[in-house]
Amino acid sequence: MPFSSSIQPSKSSICIHLNSYLFAVVIALIIFPFHVACLSLTASNGITSSRTSLLRSRIPYAQKEKEESSSSGPIIGWVLEKKIPSKKTLEFSIHWCHHGIDEGGGEGDPKPPLQVSLPLYDEDDEEGGGLSSYLWPSGIVGSILFTSPLYRSFFQHKRILELGSGLGLSGMVASAASGNVAKCVLTDRDEYTVRLLNDTILRNTKKHEKSTITPWGKCDLSASIIDWRDFSGGALRDVETASPTRQSFDAVLGTDVAYYHHLIRPLMDVSRYHLKQKSGTSSSDSNDNNNDSDEKNRVDATSECGAGVLCIVGQANRESQWDLYNNIQSGSYNQITDEHEGPWDGSTCLLLYDLAVGLWEEDTASNEEEDKYNGHGTMIKRQQRASSPSLEWNPQKMEEIVPIATLLHSMDGKIHNSLIGPYDKIATKEDEKNQMMSF
């Protein structure tokens, strides 16, 4: 309320207002760097740039003795990311490394790096700008893990649901990595984001009869709405008809979705709602009208993971990621029913990694590219100089090092036989105790 002309402000009130002003300045200084970091993924500066992000295991080297690396693990995968504002495009090249670890693919793994193109958020787009308009570190990690031989083998002939897909990087990789996924549905909470997801699908696939052809094979691939933040028995909603459909899936995936405590309960509920519950059965397929001819060839998940598998990739420095893990593994209080729930059936674990996010560097070769014409009047482009990124783990050349925790839960308790490799560090109570939390 403003001061009246007959009342003079006291010294204490002036101090209060000064303190409030200083507090606002401090908050602005805290938020501003985060805002700038987000804008690094927008199309505002018009300069083509690239960066490399490295995923490292927390399992120490066993076969090689290196003074600097003996206490840390090998690089198990990396992503080359290119930002092309002129095309409003983000291009990704996703690589899996083996380093002598034979866990199905071996050194002679025939799969080439997976190339994925995403829409680049434009600041002039009034509808965008939310969390789903940007790519977060956990999405990069998910894309690397899902290209590993273990995940590629598991995804074969499976039905996959991704929650909070955002731009759709991890979900696109999951749909394409094995070369023969039965079905993959990318989801997010609103129509704007689902339009972005459909853009991502169109950029990376082509239609052939009832299937979608991905870079490595074919898949029944689509985008739909799930606003699981306020989940209360809801289901997938078709964007055009708004009709709900309850479907069960062999795998429910998510990257950076458990970032607030109040999201844990609805995330648990919607995941369990859509997960296949036990070997050979489904929670409900009554409304699933998928009649793709490949369905008859779908391998039942009983061979390795008979029931559904939940995989949530998040940051290890967030308490909510650990709380999600502890709630599923040990049980939790349900605020909705006002009752204590026991642990989920099956087995649960948390796997730890480190992600080094590289600095954006101007792509000189792309920015100086010139159009030329040959003698027949056909336009040709100067071949871009390809440079192999450095895979050296050097924190001084990185924007940040992000601790990563991947939650895995199998409804039938067989995840240890199928999705955990020799490079995966299984978290302990000591790891949770020693992890510095941000929020």
Side-chain angles (χ1 to χ4, degrees):
M1 182 175 181
F3 294 113
S4 67
S5 58
S6 60
I7 301 177
Q8 297 299 321
S10 65
K11 290 183 179 180
S12 61
S13 65
I14 293 176
C15 290
I16 292 173
H17 282 280
L18 285 174
N19 289 335
S20 300
Y21 173 77
L22 291 173
F23 177 75
V25 170
V26 170
I27 293 298
L29 290 174
I30 294 174
I31 294 176
F32 181 73
F34 171 77
H35 181 64
V36 170
C38 285
L39 290 184
S40 67
L41 280 178
T42 66
S44 59
N45 57 17
I47 298 175
T48 298
S49 54
S50 61
R51 68 178 180 183
T52 302
S53 297
L54 311 175
L55 183 64
R56 185 174 70 175
S57 168
R58 289 197 185 182
I59 300 292
Y61 283 102
Q63 60 274 60
K64 296 181 180 179
E65 293 184 1
K66 294 184 178 181
E67 294 182 3
E68 296 182 357
S69 304
S70 59
S71 61
S72 60
I75 294 171
I76 60 176
W78 56 280
V79 171
L80 177 62
E81 180 180 356
K82 180 178 289 188
K83 179 171 56 176
I84 311 175
S86 61
K87 298 181 179 180
K88 296 184 178 180
T89 296
L90 286 167
E91 292 183 352
F92 295 84
S93 179
I94 302 141
H95 303 250
W96 178 256
C97 305
H98 298 283
H99 291 276
I101 298 175
D102 185 5
E103 35 84 48
E107 291 290 344
D109 181 29
K111 288 293 185 184
L114 183 59
Q115 311 294 327
V116 178
S117 175
L118 302 182
L120 178 61
Y121 166 61
D122 192 333
E123 288 183 281
D124 295 330
D125 189 343
E126 296 180 355
E127 288 188 87
L131 296 177
S132 59
S133 300
Y134 305 101
L135 180 67
W136 302 94
S138 299
I140 295 176
V141 175
S143 71
I144 295 173
L145 294 178
F146 298 158
T147 59
S148 72
L150 290 181
Y151 277 92
R152 293 207 310 263
S153 176
F154 171 71
F155 286 150
Q156 282 276 352
H157 309 291
K158 298 297 195 298
R159 294 159 57 87
I160 301 170
L161 172 69
E162 185 184 34
L163 301 173
S165 299
L167 296 177
L169 177 62
S170 295
M172 276 302 308
V173 172
S175 73
S178 75
N180 196 6
V181 170
K183 182 172 186 174
C184 184
V185 183
L186 312 181
T187 71
D188 218 297
R189 68 185 184 90
D190 55 43
E191 294 184 9
Y192 170 79
T193 308
V194 171
R195 288 202 301 271
L196 287 180
L197 289 172
N198 281 318
D199 186 353
T200 295
I201 292 173
L202 289 173
R203 287 167 178 262
N204 296 281
T205 63
K206 59 182 180 180
K207 287 290 184 181
H208 177 68
E209 296 180 350
K210 294 182 179 180
S211 296
T212 299
I213 307 300
T214 68
W216 284 352
K218 59 183 179 179
C219 171
D220 178 3
L221 179 61
S222 62
S224 189
I225 290 177
I226 292 183
D227 188 358
W228 52 266
R229 301 173 308 164
D230 187 27
F231 180 78
S232 56
L236 287 169
R237 181 163 66 85
D238 184 89
V239 178
E240 296 182 357
T241 65
S243 60
T245 59
R246 182 171 184 175
Q247 306 173 31
S248 68
F249 294 85
D250 300 297
V252 173
L253 314 176
T255 60
D256 220 341
V257 290
Y259 47 88
Y260 292 132
H261 287 279
H262 70 271
L263 297 177
I264 295 177
R265 169 52 52 186
L267 178 58
M268 292 171 61
D269 289 344
V270 75
S271 297
R272 189 151 52 175
Y273 181 85
H274 285 293
L275 273 172
K276 188 168 69 173
Q277 297 302 302
K278 56 185 177 181
S279 301
T281 65
S282 301
S283 56
S284 174
D285 270 326
S286 59
N287 291 319
D288 184 11
N289 296 317
N290 177 36
N291 294 316
D292 195 301
S293 59
D294 284 337
E295 274 294 290
K296 63 182 180 181
N297 298 320
R298 188 165 74 91
V299 176
D300 195 296
T302 54
S303 59
E304 286 292 343
C305 295
V309 168
L310 175 66
C311 177
I312 304 295
V313 184
Q315 294 185 199
N317 57 349
R318 290 181 177 166
E319 291 183 0
S320 53
Q321 183 74 5
W322 291 88
D323 288 343
L324 175 64
Y325 160 66
N326 289 323
N327 287 358
I328 292 176
Q329 183 188 51
S330 305
S332 62
Y333 169 71
N334 189 327
Q335 303 95 325
I336 299 175
T337 63
D338 194 26
E339 295 178 350
H340 181 82
E341 291 183 355
W344 285 18
D345 293 336
S347 61
T348 312
C349 66
L350 199 67
L351 308 177
L352 302 179
Y353 315 88
D354 289 307
L355 177 72
V357 181
L359 295 168
W360 285 105
E361 296 180 355
E362 182 177 342
D363 193 328
T364 306
S366 295
N367 289 319
E368 292 181 353
E369 188 178 80
E370 296 177 358
D371 293 338
K372 294 183 178 181
Y373 292 85
N374 61 20
H376 302 285
T378 304
M379 186 177 73
I380 60 175
K381 288 183 178 293
R382 180 190 303 171
Q383 184 175 3
Q384 183 176 333
R385 296 187 296 274
S387 58
S388 300
S390 171
L391 299 185
E392 177 187 5
W393 188 274
N394 187 348
Q396 295 181 349
K397 296 182 180 180
M398 299 295 172
E399 181 177 331
E400 60 178 333
I401 307 294
V402 183
I404 297 295
T406 297
L407 166 71
L408 277 179
H409 178 84
S410 171
M411 302 300 287
D412 68 357
K414 295 182 180 179
I415 54 175
H416 292 82
N417 299 328
S418 59
L419 291 177
I420 301 178
Y423 45 81
D424 293 320
K425 170 69 167 67
I426 300 178
T428 64
K429 287 294 183 182
E430 192 67 19
D431 291 317
E432 182 177 8
K433 178 181 177 182
N434 294 334
Q435 176 64 59
M436 184 179 294
M437 303 294 179
S438 58
F439 65 88

